[in-house]
Amino acid sequence: MHRPFDTECIRADFPILRTEINGNPLVYLDNAATSQKPQAVIDAVDGFYRTTNGNIHRGVHHLSQAATDAYDCARATVARFIGAADPHEIVFIRGATEGINLVAHGLAECLLREGDEILLTRMEHHANIVPWQMAARKTGARIVVADVTPDGRIDLEDFCRKLGPRTRIAAFMHVSNALGTIHPAEEMICRARQAGAVVLLDACQSAPHFRIDVSALGCDFLVFSGHKVFGPTGIGVLYGKGDWLARLPVYQTGGDMVDRVSFEDGTTFRDAPEKFEAGTPDIAGAIGLAAACDYLDRVGSGHIEAAEKELLAHVTPRLKEIPGLKLYGDVDRKVPVLSFTLDGVHPHDIGTILDADGIAIRAGHHCAQPLMRHYGIAGTARASFAFYNTVEEADALVASVRKIAKMFA
């Protein structure tokens, strides 16, 4: 158990943070792309392969039973972590992208008809745009886009105005991956459900920063990726209300998701969540993800939010003092993601020069090209913090960006 927030104690849990890059201590500020893994997660994955490796739901031998128990326990842990009513509402998937594809495919089969509308926002990343475009193409439905305000918020008035009797689905992100702004998800979900729409919430960028409670949010579906909540890559979570998971058709077919297979009578399928988990799943990934959930619970969401709020308050005004720097998404309600441009400097040049100083950020359009076009830019430099980052690292970022601004002045 950690003492009330001790950053050095926290950092000791993450072996990679002791790395040097180009002779400099690593300053890892690309957490919105993927976060680093605590020793507890590394040990859980390592321990599975060392002591428990077996296939699940298939064998009567000890290892198969142990692996099955660990996998089912991981599902229960994730359900508790996000406030789901039942572990059977948790489907393990490869990541949020697969989860959105699964839901879009299923709703195209069982809900959407020609002339129906799917409401998205201009802030979505491509993974929450393209699957809906494919569903619309398949069914004759129409994509409707709610706008954003100049300072980087969802235009809630526009969102509500575009909800109508034809809106069957509303799908939007909880937190912007490109800007860090926190959307009023509770109100958006409430308004969408009042309009009769099914709601999918993309929690990829909120789950790493604050407590998610699907029961309180009231969404029908929610997705997030394990690697962004300090868990392994290649594993993610689709939460769905029980009645919706029962209604959605199967997404992929194969072993373990079937009930009975016959050449004469065809195939019947198991109930959710197993009917969506064809083949051998990422068992170690699910166990590692559960370890990440347990780790975050031990640190405490209140401590995480307080530490990140302090970092954001420290670094934001210092970056804004740099001549020629423009910050996007400069609003009060946001997670510690700072997306910026420098006059006359390509974002990739910013990222490359920062890397020489050992500072890792992301540069580009952040898989959010519609949002970048909205601002009339090709991309930004994005520094995204996690609770293990320090004020000294924030100062190192500011010093290096200031150096770049002078270099190109």
Side-chain angles (χ1 to χ4, degrees):
M1 181 72 71
H2 288 291
R3 296 186 298 276
F5 207 80
D6 179 340
T7 306
E8 287 309 311
C9 178
I10 291 289
R11 289 177 66 82
D13 292 336
F14 293 82
I16 202 169
L17 297 182
R18 296 191 284 273
T19 301
E20 287 194 353
I21 303 293
N22 300 319
N24 299 297
L26 168 66
V27 176
Y28 187 77
L29 302 178
D30 195 18
N31 295 284
T34 195
S35 57
Q36 299 302 341
K37 318 308 172 195
Q39 190 64 50
V41 169
I42 298 168
D43 288 344
V45 174
D46 178 77
F48 170 76
Y49 284 122
R50 286 183 185 277
T51 67
T52 320
N53 184 43
N55 212 332
I56 61 170
H57 303 148
R58 287 167 171 83
V60 295
H61 59 81
H62 173 82
L63 287 180
S64 177
Q65 293 292 330
T68 300
D69 290 347
Y71 188 76
D72 292 344
C73 183
R75 199 190 304 277
T77 297
V78 171
R80 176 185 48 74
F81 183 69
I82 63 170
D86 192 301
H88 290 87
E89 293 178 323
I90 302 299
V91 181
F92 284 126
I93 48 180
R94 285 183 297 163
T97 297
E98 184 177 47
I100 297 170
N101 272 279
L102 189 160
V103 176
H105 168 84
L107 293 181
E109 292 285 327
C110 72
L111 180 72
L112 288 176
R113 299 292 179 266
E114 184 174 358
D116 288 344
E117 295 178 352
I118 304 165
L119 180 58
L120 309 177
T121 82
R122 198 170 299 283
M123 211 174 286
E124 302 310 313
H125 63 148
H126 301 162
N128 200 31
I129 297 174
V130 181
W132 300 113
Q133 289 178 326
M134 299 300 289
R137 182 183 300 177
K138 184 176 180 181
T139 60
R142 191 168 74 92
I143 302 290
V144 177
V145 182
D147 232 320
V148 300
T149 63
D151 61 358
R153 306 171 200 261
I154 290 291
D155 186 335
L156 188 58
E157 193 173 306
D158 189 55
F159 178 86
C160 294
R161 187 167 51 245
K162 287 174 176 170
L163 282 168
R166 303 300 299 177
T167 310
R168 293 288 180 269
I169 299 164
F172 48 87
M173 51 174 52
H174 200 172
V175 168
S176 167
N177 71 311
L179 308 179
T181 51
I182 301 172
H183 301 164
E186 294 87 345
E187 184 167 2
M188 295 169 73
I189 292 167
C190 181
R191 295 295 189 94
R193 287 181 57 79
Q194 286 173 351
V198 177
V199 178
L200 179 143
L201 185 66
D202 174 358
C204 280
Q205 299 295 339
S206 54
H209 298 290
F210 52 85
R211 173 67 74 185
I212 300 295
D213 186 336
V214 291
S215 298
L217 286 166
C219 52
D220 297 288
F221 299 101
L222 179 141
V223 295
F224 66 92
S225 295
H227 70 98
K228 291 180 179 174
V229 292
F230 313 95
T233 57
I235 187 74
V237 171
L238 164 64
Y239 157 81
K241 286 183 175 175
D243 54 347
W244 269 117
L245 291 184
R247 188 175 169 188
L248 287 187
V250 297
Y251 174 58
Q252 295 174 324
T253 54
D256 205 39
M257 51 80 71
V258 294
D259 182 35
R260 184 172 185 276
V261 179
S262 165
F263 283 118
E264 291 75 25
D265 302 322
T267 299
T268 57
F269 303 106
R270 298 176 67 180
D271 293 333
E274 285 86 1
K275 73 174 183 179
F276 299 114
E277 297 178 356
T280 299
D282 185 353
I283 307 165
I287 292 167
L289 174 56
C293 294
D294 284 338
Y295 178 81
L296 289 174
D297 277 345
R298 288 197 297 276
V299 175
S301 59
H303 291 146
I304 290 171
E305 285 186 61
E308 293 184 348
K309 188 175 180 181
E310 183 180 343
L311 282 169
L312 187 62
H314 179 85
V315 70
T316 302
R318 287 163 175 78
L319 272 182
K320 288 165 68 175
E321 288 173 354
I322 297 173
L325 187 144
K326 181 175 181 179
L327 186 63
Y328 295 82
D330 187 17
V331 299
D332 293 334
R333 287 198 75 216
K334 66 181 294 182
V335 300
V337 172
L338 295 127
S339 204
F340 60 92
T341 56
L342 270 177
D343 285 347
V345 190
H346 194 284
H348 285 178
D349 290 332
I350 298 173
T352 300
I353 297 170
L354 288 178
D355 180 60
D357 290 341
I359 301 172
I361 66 161
R362 180 168 174 180
H365 54 61
H366 315 302
C367 300
Q369 289 177 327
L371 180 65
M372 295 297 124
R373 277 196 291 275
H374 171 75
Y375 285 121
I377 55 178
T380 68
R382 184 188 68 185
S384 50
F385 290 73
F387 60 93
Y388 47 56
N389 291 123
T390 66
V391 167
E392 290 74 20
E393 290 180 320
D395 288 341
L397 170 72
V398 172
S400 287
V401 174
R402 189 179 292 280
K403 179 182 70 176
I404 296 168
K406 288 180 180 177
M407 191 185 302
F408 284 83

